Amino acid sequence: MAHGQPSYPLKDGEVRKQRELGGMTLRVLADRCAAAGEPISNSQLSKIERGLNRPRPALLVTLASVFGVDVKQLVETSGS
């Protein structure tokens, strides 16, 4: 966690699944996040997809919005 910001564990493969369901490349997803006010690089998105990084809360909300899903669908919750 950088700078003490909270981050949330994502469901394995869910970001990639949602991106692919939407027919988006990493570049398209990065562009849509930037258009929504959350600029991010392709490489950072790739790290999030592979579970190497966790998104900041604002980026998590943006990803859910771009995918048209509820944040809960992306986040690992106890019992899921």
Side-chain angles (χ1 to χ4, degrees):
M1 279 182 262
H3 303 95
Q5 288 188 356
S7 64
Y8 302 93
L10 299 176
K11 290 180 184 173
D12 286 344
E14 191 65 26
V15 172
R16 175 174 280 157
K17 174 185 160 189
Q18 291 298 324
R19 178 177 61 79
E20 291 175 348
L21 283 172
M24 291 179 261
T25 62
L26 284 170
R27 166 53 55 206
V28 169
L29 179 55
D31 290 346
R32 290 186 183 177
C33 287
E38 283 295 322
I40 187 166
S41 69
N42 295 5
S43 63
Q44 288 300 315
L45 281 171
S46 177
K47 287 177 182 178
I48 288 169
E49 282 190 352
R50 292 180 285 143
L52 301 175
N53 286 352
R54 292 181 181 177
R56 297 175 330 286
L59 178 59
L60 181 60
V61 170
T62 297
L63 287 169
S65 176
V66 167
F67 296 146
V69 300
D70 191 277
V71 170
K72 292 177 190 175
Q73 187 163 338
L74 302 177
V75 177
E76 187 68 49
T77 56
S78 57
S80 59

